[in-house]
Amino acid sequence: SPTFSLREIQEEDTAELKLAVKDQSGSQVKDKTNVRFYIVKGGGGESLASEAGAKTDEAFEQTIGGEATTRVRGGTVPGNIQIGVDVTVPGGKVITWTIQNIIIQAGPPVTDHFGLAESPLNIIGFLLFGETVDVTAFVGDRYGNPPTPGTSVFFATEAGTIQGGGGKQLSDTGSVTAT
């Protein structure tokens, strides 16, 4: 399945969707064969990008070298989307199919969706050696979505010691123990 992320860049993240287009006999279609891409099922503001850069629910392209290309823009919610494709072959017949499970992942954590919690809240580490506290980071992307699986969280301290990383995260939290 194609996968791309909602990255923190100036515009929404886009992925190029390139298809090898064949007729009903399995042969490569001629150049300038009309292809229509359209969103069958979205999850949160996805769109297709026309050559002019406009966001739309459908894009009309023509084949070059037997391939048709469009761009898919990520929306604000990670999940699976489906893209429909109509190809008009010589004689006017339209061949239709759906590209299943294009996966849109969340973007990287941002400071607007970042928080810390400690348990216990306030240890007297300067008086007792070896006291520990569990530190948990709560993170989200620019839309408040949990980060992409595999996102790491790094921890540092100016007093005492702390494990450097919360490891690979599968949800919206990362935890370590500080001494």
Side-chain angles (χ1 to χ4, degrees):
S1 296
T3 302
F4 66 103
S5 299
L6 303 171
R7 296 193 183 146
E8 185 66 40
I9 57 175
Q10 291 179 350
E11 295 182 33
E12 293 106 46
D13 194 27
T14 62
E16 185 174 81
L17 182 60
K18 184 179 284 192
L19 298 176
V21 183
K22 298 182 180 183
D23 63 18
Q24 55 269 48
S25 68
S27 299
Q28 177 179 306
V29 298
K30 294 180 181 178
D31 283 353
K32 297 190 179 182
T33 297
N34 292 321
V35 179
R36 175 182 167 243
F37 293 92
Y38 54 96
I39 296 175
V40 174
K41 175 184 171 262
E46 300 82 17
S47 63
L48 301 175
S50 68
E51 285 189 28
K55 296 179 191 178
T56 179
D57 287 341
E58 62 183 358
F60 296 91
E61 308 293 347
Q62 291 187 328
T63 58
I64 299 172
E67 294 182 333
T69 304
T70 192
R71 297 197 64 78
V72 179
R73 292 179 186 256
T76 59
V77 179
N80 294 341
I81 66 169
Q82 297 174 358
I83 304 292
V85 180
D86 293 342
V87 177
T88 305
V89 294
K93 181 173 180 174
V94 177
I95 301 171
T96 300
W97 72 93
T98 301
I99 303 167
Q100 302 284 335
N101 296 324
I102 296 175
I103 301 167
I104 298 177
Q105 297 181 337
V110 297
T111 56
D112 287 347
H113 294 281
F114 184 86
L116 287 175
E118 302 173 20
S119 180
L121 184 58
N122 192 8
I123 61 170
I124 47 176
F126 291 116
L127 299 177
L128 300 171
F129 184 73
E131 291 292 308
T132 63
V133 61
D134 292 323
V135 180
T136 302
F138 297 87
V139 297
D141 72 4
R142 64 182 167 169
Y143 301 111
N145 299 310
T148 300
T151 299
S152 294
V153 177
F154 180 78
F155 294 85
T157 183
E158 293 179 5
T161 61
I162 194 167
Q163 297 166 325
K168 298 291 183 187
Q169 304 310 310
L170 299 178
S171 65
D172 59 350
T173 64
S175 299
V176 295
T177 299
T179 304

